[in-house]
Amino acid sequence: MQRRNFLRAAVLGVGTSVAFGFSVTREAIAFPALPGTSPYGELLPPDANGLMLPEGFTSRVIARTGQKVAGTGHVWHGAPDGGACFADGDGWIYVSNSEQYDGQGGVSAVRFDSAGEITAAYPILAGTSVNCSGGATPWNTWLSCEEFDRGQVFETDPWGQKEAVAHPAMGRFTHEAAAVDPDRKVVYLTEDEGDGCFYRFVPTTWEDMSAGTLQVLADRDGGLAWVDVPDPSAADTATRHQVAEALHISGGEGAYYRSGTCFFTAKGENRVYAYDAVNNVLNVAYDDDDSADAPLTGVDNITGAAVGDLYVAEDGGNMEVCIITPDDVVAPFLRVTGQDQSELCGVAFDPSGDRLYFSSQRGATGENSGGITYEVSGPFRKS
């Protein structure tokens, strides 16, 4: 039986398979999510920025590639990708990766005051390549991941005061995203390869990513096991090929941890997986094959709201950010029009949960020089 079909039919756990319907808490998604009516209603016609939004929501452009961020001297990077928000006193900071090649990548940050006005913009990482996604840490750093063979994870300071640091101990592979699990004191890592793997990094000292053990999720004796990767440096053999029983997932993308579960997307399978770290169980939270009219395709970056909703950006599809609710409903939350050669990425909420940030990586031009970063404000549900 093919592994993809096996995972479609069952949950993979420790020596057992159980039917769909698993849920840890109200914050976790009951599976599988199917098309339904969005809690925000239908999308309205495009606004002045070309965004189709639900009633009560508005958008603004925060930055455009090649142009200075308003009120600052910082020129916004090309190919904006993964991002996250960090509390900054009464304001916040949004960081954004640059998925450019040949040492032209890196990370930039935009700083906002309590009213949401931009007060500064600046680089926090430069000279790297293909910085795709990453993950925020509880100790207020941003892990920026390079998406190429033997790429690295760089830990950066959203305030731009500390020098960025490479962490080769976290593995040299085609990194995509990172999601910190403070309960088990590990960091989950996705890999964007057709036969990629799902990893976790166990640091020797918590909050210090400079040393530790890289492990890969494997299928051993009908159950899941975390197995040490013999050579995280991948000097001779790619990390995904070092453990024979490693579980292979096509096109690992965004990752988001909450309440004992790490949700991550697999673009090659058009799925959202949910790894239940408490019970060591892997489930399929969403699969576009489960419905003929599935609204979410080209799954990419993922984030969540405190109420339990997940927001998944599309690389392709209808250029939508879709919502997956705790009630098993998947529906479009917004759509970007006139940018069919782009992809959406960098979804992240500000600390209040009132503003959602994201980027259209290539904008209307279809080129890395056409990137646009947006903010959407409105009555996001809190309960």
Side-chain angles (χ1 to χ4, degrees), residues 26-96:
R26 177 64 171 78
E27 286 76 23
I29 304 296
F31 310 125
L34 297 172
T37 302
S38 167
Y40 298 107
E42 298 296 321
L43 301 183
L44 301 179
D47 65 8
N49 295 318
L51 270 61
M52 297 175 65
L53 299 167
E55 185 175 357
F57 288 84
T58 59
S59 72
R60 67 167 171 162
V61 173
I62 297 303
R64 292 181 183 271
T65 293
Q67 298 183 19
K68 292 181 179 179
V69 178
T72 79
H74 180 66
V75 177
W76 199 238
H77 53 268
D81 206 292
C85 283
F86 298 84
D88 177 40
D90 293 333
W92 59 94
I93 296 170
Y94 176 68
V95 301
S96 171

Side-chain angles (χ1 to χ4, degrees), residues 142-189:
W142 168 247
L143 300 174
S144 181
C145 299
E146 291 183 308
E147 186 197 358
F148 63 87
D149 186 42
R150 301 192 76 244
Q152 297 194 81
V153 176
F154 289 80
E155 188 165 15
T156 66
D157 174 20
W159 287 263
Q161 298 174 355
K162 299 177 181 178
E163 186 175 352
V165 179
H167 291 313
M170 299 184 79
R172 302 292 301 271
F173 56 87
T174 310
H175 282 277
E176 180 72 28
V180 177
D181 177 350
D183 302 308
R184 274 145 291 278
K185 293 184 169 54
V186 301
V187 181
Y188 303 108
L189 301 162

Side-chain angles (χ1 to χ4, degrees), residues 43-306:
L43 301 183
L44 301 179
D47 65 8
N49 295 318
L51 270 61
M52 297 175 65
L53 299 167
E55 185 175 357
F57 288 84
T58 59
S59 72
R60 67 167 171 162
V61 173
I62 297 303
R64 292 181 183 271
T65 293
Q67 298 183 19
K68 292 181 179 179
V69 178
T72 79
H74 180 66
V75 177
W76 199 238
H77 53 268
D81 206 292
C85 283
F86 298 84
D88 177 40
D90 293 333
W92 59 94
I93 296 170
Y94 176 68
V95 301
S96 171
N97 280 350
S98 173
E99 197 186 13
Q100 298 205 105
Y101 292 77
D102 301 324
Q104 300 300 308
V107 187
S108 291
V110 180
R111 199 168 185 172
F112 300 85
D113 64 17
S114 59
E117 297 301 316
I118 295 173
T119 62
Y122 45 89
I124 62 174
L125 175 65
T128 54
S129 298
V130 202
N131 295 79
C132 197
S133 192
T137 72
W139 51 94
N140 291 321
T141 62
W142 168 247
L143 300 174
S144 181
C145 299
E146 291 183 308
E147 186 197 358
F148 63 87
D149 186 42
R150 301 192 76 244
Q152 297 194 81
V153 176
F154 289 80
E155 188 165 15
T156 66
D157 174 20
W159 287 263
Q161 298 174 355
K162 299 177 181 178
E163 186 175 352
V165 179
H167 291 313
M170 299 184 79
R172 302 292 301 271
F173 56 87
T174 310
H175 282 277
E176 180 72 28
V180 177
D181 177 350
D183 302 308
R184 274 145 291 278
K185 293 184 169 54
V186 301
V187 181
Y188 303 108
L189 301 162
T190 58
E191 181 177 28
D192 194 357
E193 293 281 0
D195 60 346
C197 292
F198 184 54
Y199 303 87
R200 74 176 185 184
F201 179 67
V202 186
T204 303
T205 303
W206 186 231
E207 300 187 12
D208 180 357
M209 302 292 109
S210 64
T213 302
L214 181 69
Q215 299 179 321
V216 64
L217 192 62
D219 179 6
R220 281 192 166 175
D221 301 322
L224 292 181
W226 287 104
V227 180
D228 291 356
V229 174
D231 178 19
S233 74
D236 298 313
T237 304
T239 55
R240 66 186 185 277
H241 296 151
Q242 292 182 29
V243 176
E245 307 97 326
L247 192 68
H248 293 287
I249 294 169
S250 179
E253 292 282 346
Y256 173 74
Y257 174 84
R258 180 181 60 215
S259 301
T261 299
C262 181
F263 299 95
F264 65 97
T265 61
K267 188 168 60 182
E269 304 172 12
N270 271 315
R271 284 180 166 179
V272 178
Y273 283 101
Y275 172 66
D276 168 19
V278 177
N279 298 297
N280 194 36
V281 172
L282 184 65
N283 207 336
V284 179
Y286 169 80
D287 189 332
D288 72 332
D289 287 347
D290 285 336
S291 173
D293 58 349
L296 174 59
T297 58
V299 296
D300 206 303
N301 288 180
I302 183 171
T303 193

